[in-house]
Amino acid sequence: MSELFTYRTAEEVAAESTHNDNPFGLVYSGAITENVPGKVNIIPISYMLDGLKLVANVYVPAGYDKGADKKYAGIVVAHPNGGVKEQVAGLYAQKLAEAGYVTLAFDAAYQGHSGGTPRNTDKPAHRIEDIHRACDIIRVFPGVDPERVGVLGICGGGGYTIKAAQTDKRFKAVATLSMFNTGVVRRNGFLDSATATIQQRLREACEARELELSGKEVRYTANMCEMPESEADKLPYDLYRDGYYYYGKTHAHPCSSFAYTVSSNVDLMSFDAVQGSELINVPLLMIAGKSADTLYMTEHVFAAATGTDDKELFLVPGATHIETYYVPEYVEQITGKLVDFFGKKL
């Protein structure tokens, strides 16, 4: 079954990693800088999905031996909206590999270094299928026990993970971090701040779709990271203020962008991660910052996930949404909770 994926060469990876000195292009603190025998290593791979080439980094634990009798539990990690595998998804993939798991952090189709045009298309069906495909791949990765596979979804990747896990029973344990219910926010605005313009924005999305189909133009939403700091500091929500600095300054990556195709809203506005959450019948851990202004989204899904009695809502005191991505004390707490959860459930 290994023919489902291909090992990428160092030259391929290096060609995509010219933005910094890290050979894998990783932008998070404490990132692996080289593969050293006996330590956590990164194995870059690619695989196909609906005619598109997707790329991923597989993190393997110290002493990994694909030929040994020992089988490893595997965890798929889905990145946030606007994010790429080299940011927070890579950080937690590495942390979990340090705890003994084989983890797979991938770039969503149409995003990052994965294929697909128009670039930064963000349609729920694509993102959900990305997660199903990542499960296909990690289950056949050498050394992984296919019956011990879990998933961690972060931010928008968390919302799509909730939806994917509703029907994908190959995932034996499901975790989210700072879950973001993308469709509801695209429709209603953050904290229901844009309900008055729903129909107008749907018309604009349909117009954008028609322009794409005719080959005339691809329209994008505004990229928040391009605004001046003085404007960013005035943004009304922690999510966007902190996100501006994380994605635009401290953890910037050239393939990461808050802009997405306007036409995506045709699909996004009917998406709601809450719907169908009762279908999740495996252990569920939902983590969020106690001070996050996105916490309500996690709480809504958690309450709706009535199909499992084995569920926990873990709040990180003092943390906002974006701070769970990188602040050392929060990352340490979150990692500890994830390791404990997957250790018991996988």
Side-chain angles (χ1 to χ4, degrees), residues 154-333:
I154 304 169
C155 185
Y160 295 128
T161 289
I162 288 293
K163 186 60 72 172
Q166 291 172 12
T167 56
D168 198 331
K169 301 307 176 181
R170 298 173 299 174
F171 291 121
K172 306 305 181 185
V174 178
T176 65
L177 172 61
S178 298
M179 196 218 77
F180 189 82
N181 196 349
T182 310
V184 170
V185 174
R186 300 298 186 236
R187 181 173 66 249
N188 297 342
F190 193 54
L191 290 168
D192 295 334
S193 60
T195 55
T197 62
I198 291 174
Q199 296 302 329
Q200 173 191 334
R201 288 181 286 112
L202 277 171
R203 286 192 295 271
E204 291 170 352
C206 291
E207 291 170 3
R209 182 183 175 97
E210 288 296 307
L211 288 170
E212 283 181 24
L213 289 171
S214 66
K216 293 180 180 178
E217 179 187 358
V218 178
R219 290 184 177 174
Y220 287 91
T221 61
N223 186 353
M224 185 183 72
C225 291
E226 294 178 352
M227 68 173 59
E229 287 187 21
S230 58
E231 291 184 25
D233 292 339
K234 297 176 184 177
L235 291 168
Y237 306 116
D238 289 338
L239 171 67
Y240 297 131
R241 288 196 304 273
D242 293 352
Y244 170 85
Y245 285 100
Y246 180 87
Y247 287 107
K249 305 294 181 181
T250 62
H251 295 75
H253 187 283
C255 291
S256 174
S257 172
F258 270 112
Y260 60 96
T261 60
V262 174
S263 63
S264 294
N265 280 331
V266 172
D267 303 84
L268 279 165
M269 285 200 186
S270 62
F271 174 77
D272 185 354
V274 174
Q275 294 175 351
S277 292
E278 70 278 2
L279 293 174
I280 296 175
N281 65 341
V282 297
L284 173 66
L285 170 66
M286 302 192 74
I287 303 174
K290 193 170 185 178
S291 298
D293 45 20
T294 56
L295 175 57
Y296 71 100
M297 301 182 209
T298 290
E299 291 175 331
H300 288 171
V301 169
F302 188 80
T306 57
T308 178
D309 293 325
D310 190 351
K311 64 178 183 176
E312 179 180 359
L313 174 60
F314 180 75
L315 301 182
V316 183
T320 61
H321 182 110
I322 298 293
E323 287 177 338
T324 64
Y325 293 10
Y326 73 95
V327 175
E329 64 179 284
Y330 300 146
V331 171
E332 182 178 356
Q333 291 178 58

Side-chain angles (χ1 to χ4, degrees), residues 79-141:
H79 64 67
N81 291 334
V84 290
K85 65 186 181 301
E86 291 84 0
Q87 295 167 323
V88 60
L91 169 64
Y92 282 104
Q94 181 174 323
K95 291 292 185 182
L96 288 167
E98 290 169 358
Y101 297 93
V102 172
T103 59
L104 187 153
F106 64 93
D107 282 337
Y110 302 90
Q111 301 174 32
H113 289 298
S114 289
T117 56
R119 299 305 297 162
N120 296 324
T121 295
D122 191 29
K123 296 186 177 184
H126 295 167
R127 294 292 304 268
I128 294 164
E129 187 59 28
D130 288 337
I131 295 168
H132 293 318
R133 189 56 165 171
C135 187
D136 295 340
I137 302 304
I138 201 166
R139 280 169 54 87
V140 300
F141 196 83

Side-chain angles (χ1 to χ4, degrees), residues 139-159:
R139 280 169 54 87
V140 300
F141 196 83
V144 171
D145 182 349
E147 299 306 315
R148 296 170 61 215
V149 172
V151 61
L152 167 64
I154 304 169
C155 185

